[in-house]
Amino acid sequence: MTARLIIGALFMVGLWALVAKRNLVKKVFGLTILNSAAVLLFIVEAGGSGDGAPIMGGGQRIVDPIPQALMLTAIVIGVCVTALALGMAYRLYKATGSMDIEEIRKRLGNG
Amino acid sequence: MTEAMLLAILLLSLYAVESKDLLYGTIALSGVSLLSSLLFYILKAPDVAITEAAVGAGVSTVVYVWAIKSMERNEPL
Amino acid sequence: MKARTPSAQVLTAVLCIAAASFALWPLATLDEAWPEGIRDYLESRGQDESGARNLVSAIYLGYRGYDTLGETIVLLVAVSGAIGMIGAAGSKLAPGYADAAQGQVPVAKPTRRVHRRTELIDVVTGKLGPVVLVFGLYVMLFGHVSPGGGFQGGVVVASGIVFLGMGSKGAGLSPLVGAGTLARIEAAGFLALLLAAGLGIVSGAGFFAPPLRGVSPVGYIVALNAVIGLKVGAGIGFLCIAMLGETER
């Protein structure tokens, strides 16, 4: 319960960065934090379901391997999404000369 | 133990979001990755721990440092 | 659309956070026990059915192969999208990388190198790179019996490639981190993955199934791990080297 609440708070920190921060790189920080909050939730929840790592031959009851397999791919995808988002941010910066989202909106003529 | 490490992760990510210097924020995010991979190892997920350590310490930091160097380092607020 | 005032922005954000907290609250107070049925099934049958002692490998290469295929496609698209977009916005990447991402033959251009770093980084990363590469290959190839596998080994290999790229700046790039090589490894890895997945259709076992019946499927798992590892390592390494080249000069 406590662990879940802390992970929930971590998720909200990521959401806060995504919604309230005006700097584009800060928004990407928010995406990274959201990703790690989701990964942490899955692994922490699955961690209580056994005594040993999911490798056969140890003689212990293993933890559930399915969340681990899913989160493995989620981490690799997460870093690619980060790179793509920073690429977009760079493109916007080159086009408008600013990293502030309000400023970018103004300079693109929608302000 | 788990809760203490999660709390440290929470504080580090708060610092990353609120710091004025984006480079400090990047370093704090690698700290988040490091603590997460330790936590994954403790929670019997060695595969995820290897991935998180390599991604968080190496790849993600390189990508962020590239972005900060080619844009602006400080948040002008 | 009107420009928003800072206080209105903060109010919007606070409302967003409150709504998300309200929506996620049941998740925190959920009192269900962890479902044990699938875990018990995997514990008793997983190794025989997939051939891997590491059940995480067994899942993402055996039971959920489609996931892995889709994941590698996402990786390919994200890397080529990021490089292409950065290259289009004003090429500040390592020489040749923007061209290689768009399928053109990279032209070797002599560039002026400015050294702003100590010898220490050159020497340490250059010597450490091959060691990290070997460790990554070990993690990749022994993923079926120990912690590791294609994705894990792939990202370690990518770190090794980053080390090589940082270390070989002074003495010219090593051929592995040249612009065309990594892109070709990435493309060849994807083709090999499709081929390995399709072999099962030829022999009648089905898409993403071990093609030979009657023998242990361990070899198939090792082959898939190697292909995925090379693909992930080359893709992420390509991205990092391209970005690194710009920051260092």
Side-chain angles (χ1 to χ4, degrees):
Chain A
M1 175 76 188
T2 322
R4 280 185 207 167
L5 282 180
I6 300 174
I7 292 172
L10 189 65
F11 190 88
M12 293 310 156
V13 169
L15 194 62
W16 171 262
L18 199 60
V19 177
K21 291 290 167 183
R22 295 164 51 150
N23 188 305
L24 287 176
V25 177
K26 283 285 172 71
K27 284 181 187 286
V28 184
F29 278 7
L31 280 180
T32 305
I33 293 170
L34 284 177
N35 189 47
S36 27
V39 173
L40 279 168
L41 178 68
F42 272 76
I43 300 295
V44 167
E45 286 299 310
S49 66
D51 310 308
I55 293 165
M56 299 304 291
Q60 293 164 310
R61 275 176 74 75
I62 58 168
V63 301
D64 199 335
I66 294 176
Q68 299 192 8
L70 295 183
M71 288 309 109
L72 201 63
T73 53
I75 291 174
V76 179
I77 289 293
V79 70
C80 291
V81 167
T82 302
L84 191 61
L86 285 174
M88 288 184 195
Y90 180 67
R91 187 99 196 244
L92 271 179
Y93 177 74
K94 277 286 155 186
T96 61
S98 170
M99 281 167 78
D100 187 326
I101 190 70
E102 294 294 323
E103 194 66 32
I104 287 171
R105 192 174 279 155
K106 216 178 291 171
R107 289 185 197 175
L108 287 180
N110 297 339
Chain B
M1 186 63 192
T2 309
E3 280 82 6
M5 290 180 78
L6 282 175
L7 217 63
I9 290 172
L10 179 64
L11 290 179
L12 270 176
S13 49
L14 255 181
Y15 176 76
V17 168
E18 291 302 328
S19 72
K20 288 276 174 246
D21 191 332
L22 291 173
L23 204 54
Y24 291 3
T26 305
I27 304 300
L29 278 187
S30 352
V32 167
S33 277
L34 179 68
L35 281 177
S36 311
S37 75
L38 267 176
L39 188 60
F40 295 153
Y41 184 71
I42 292 171
L43 291 171
K44 288 116 193 166
D47 298 88
V48 191
I50 294 175
T51 315
E52 177 78 41
V55 163
V59 179
S60 148
T61 310
V62 168
V63 173
Y64 273 121
V65 168
W66 166 80
I68 291 166
K69 285 244 176 168
S70 53
M71 294 191 266
E72 289 160 21
R73 176 167 168 181
N74 291 304
E75 192 178 18
L77 278 183
Chain C
M1 187 173 170
K2 275 196 290 184
R4 297 177 295 169
T5 58
S7 61
Q9 278 173 4
V10 171
L11 186 66
T12 316
V14 168
L15 285 178
C16 274
I17 302 283
S21 311
F22 183 71
L24 291 178
W25 182 250
L27 203 65
T29 54
L30 193 70
D31 206 17
E32 292 275 317
W34 188 263
E36 307 232 312
I38 297 173
R39 197 270 309 272
D40 293 341
Y41 175 83
L42 284 171
E43 198 166 13
S44 59
R45 305 271 308 275
Q47 186 177 354
D48 298 332
E49 284 184 354
S50 67
R53 255 170 64 198
N54 182 356
L55 289 181
V56 175
S57 287
I59 289 170
Y60 73 72
L61 296 177
Y63 295 104
R64 299 186 66 89
Y66 282 106
D67 258 12
T68 305
L69 186 65
E71 205 267 359
T72 51
I73 292 174
V74 171
L75 188 81
L76 189 68
V77 170
V79 169
S80 48
I83 297 289
M85 199 159 0
I86 296 163
S91 178
K92 292 181 77 182
L93 298 168
Y97 269 81
D99 299 336
Q102 288 156 5
Q104 296 163 7
V105 181
V107 187
K109 277 176 272 186
T111 48
R112 193 170 55 87
R113 296 183 198 283
V114 182
H115 283 284
R116 280 180 294 158
R117 304 177 303 145
T118 61
E119 282 294 308
L120 197 63
I121 291 180
D122 269 347
V123 172
V124 170
T125 55
K127 300 293 177 287
L128 211 53
V131 180
V132 176
L133 272 185
V134 169
F135 176 66
L137 289 176
Y138 169 80
V139 168
M140 188 196 299
L141 292 177
F142 285 79
H144 56 296
V145 289
S146 61
F151 290 109
Q152 299 93 317
V155 289
V156 177
V157 165
S159 310
I161 292 174
V162 170
F163 273 171
L164 280 183
M166 284 167 78
S168 57
K169 273 285 154 53
L173 292 170
S174 93
L176 179 62
V177 299
T181 317
L182 288 172
R184 280 189 209 106
I185 293 177
E186 160 94 12
F190 189 61
L191 275 182
L193 181 63
L194 283 181
L195 205 66
L199 269 184
I201 297 180
V202 178
S203 71
F207 196 58
F208 254 113
L212 297 174
R213 286 186 200 178
V215 297
S216 167
V218 173
Y220 189 64
I221 294 267
V222 174
L224 277 184
N225 261 336
V227 167
I228 290 171
L230 280 182
K231 191 183 148 11
V232 170
I236 297 184
F238 181 82
L239 189 73
C240 288
I241 295 286
M243 292 179 163
L244 211 62
E246 193 266 324
T247 60
E248 292 300 337
R249 68 174 66 93

